[in-house]
Amino acid sequence: MSNATVPLSRADLEAFWLPFTSNRQFKLKPRLLAKAKGMYYWTPEGRQILDAVAGLWCVNAGHGRAEITQAVAQQLETLDYAPPFQLGHPPAFALANALVKIAPAGLDHVFFTNSGSESVDTALKIALAWHRVRGEGTRTRLIGRERAYHGVGFGGISVGGITPNRKTWSASLLPGVDHLSHTHDLARNAFSRGAPEHGAHLADELERLVALHDASNIAAVIVEPIAGSTGVLIPPRGYLKRLREICSRHGILLIFDEVITGFGRTGAPFAAQEFDVMPDIITLAKGLTNGCIPMGAVLVSKAIYEAFMQGPEGIELFHGYTYSAHPAACAAGLATLGVYEREGLLTRAKTLAPQWEEAAHALRGLPHVIDVRNYGLILGLELEPLAGKPGNRAFEVYLKCFERGVLIRQSGDIIALSPPLIVQPSQIDQIFSTLSEVLRGQ
Ligand SMILES: Cc1ncc(COP(=O)(O)O)c(C=O)c1O
């Protein structure tokens, strides 16, 4: 009998320390998932839940894809593990080549990791090491942005801009990090459809930091093209282009953290293509393996890779993980990219975006809704916080939607939606009608 159907007692729940979760609250009234297929999860009691968030922005091709499962099983039977240092295996090269094919032109080398957090730390380390191998070792400062989420490694929380993430470890953050202002401006941009009008000038803060520190001390700027975890912050029109121009003018590397925007979420394979802005480095994870095996990747430009390939032969980058390019993850990645290509999923969000946008903006005017914002198959819905209880209102909405069979995501008083890219129009209707009913009852 599958463990998934055995009810868990309070004692059974004790040992597992759930991440980013209110453990005491959860263990009093746990929400469990037992099974998944296509657009749906099922609870152990057999209740069907429509997945409006692709798990956690990662199951872009929908759950339980047989092609991926079989590829992973076959790979584990053939070659379960191969050390990635000083050895290689064919699927690793195949996946790197397949990724380069869909990546923005010019990003043609791939370093594999196991998560988004590791991708971010890897990208920051590559940026610092790159300046050093080129003889510009004074470029050590990193620039992130307020309200950014770049995972939970020390690098990621240092350039990230989430207060609780930074508060606890404030004395241990990387030195030499500055933050650009976030671009969230409800007063001027509320209820924007697609990229908001106001805020491109916020990129000019980078010029201010250059004037303060001198470009010769700045290594890289990292931003999420669309910030997801802090509540779907869509870049103002022209903002990313302006950042690119300033970085190029001063020899600063531009890193796009595409852990959530990668693999079709915006309507193009990557946000860099969608916004027509070419970064020097892209960090990836999540949709790379459709969420079924942990894996991340860092795409870098030829100029970056080539700079490391000069000088005496030897290990060019002292960095890597035991599970970099794990055979099972590579097999999952290859099968996932195959599904994306065959089913046109990397651009399908573009086709569905008009319906998505209409349904999203129909929520305007419902109780406590202070903003609706959307891009591709992404929604950010911001609610007026309950006095003295920030986050409680949206959490209530999250719980009620779950009771009514739709899984959404809540961050503070913002609700984020990002369904699998296989979502059907009728399922979009169901997501929004459920959300609307719940909001009306608030
Ligand atoms: C933009 C971004 N970067 C990095 C991460 C961290 O990824 P992981 O949780 O796989 O470490 C996330 C996770 O949501 C993310 O959204």
Side-chain angles (χ1 to χ4, degrees), residues 238-255:
Y239 173 87
L240 294 173
K241 275 208 160 77
R242 212 132 138 187
L243 262 192
R244 172 71 277 180
E245 282 160 17
I246 301 170
C247 284
S248 299
R249 193 151 57 240
H250 297 292
I252 299 168
L253 292 176
L254 178 61
I255 305 170

Side-chain angles (χ1 to χ4, degrees), residues 312-361:
E313 269 185 29
I315 293 173
E316 294 97 357
L317 182 69
F318 252 71
H319 183 69
Y321 303 94
T322 300
Y323 301 120
S324 280
H326 189 285
C330 291
L334 277 166
T336 298
L337 295 189
V339 173
Y340 290 160
E341 188 188 351
R342 280 192 301 280
E343 300 181 6
L345 295 182
L346 296 182
T347 51
R348 187 162 185 267
K350 195 142 266 170
T351 318
L352 294 170
Q355 182 199 354
W356 181 261
E357 181 169 286
E358 283 313 312
H361 285 270

Side-chain angles (χ1 to χ4, degrees), residues 56-57 114-118 120 149-152 224 228-229 257-260 283 285-286:
L56 197 49
W57 307 82
N114 308 290
S115 67
S117 300
E118 288 181 1
V120 167
Y149 183 64
H150 297 295
V152 293
E224 300 153 273
S229 301
D257 184 348
E258 294 226 32
V259 165
I260 62 151
T283 53
K286 298 201 188 256

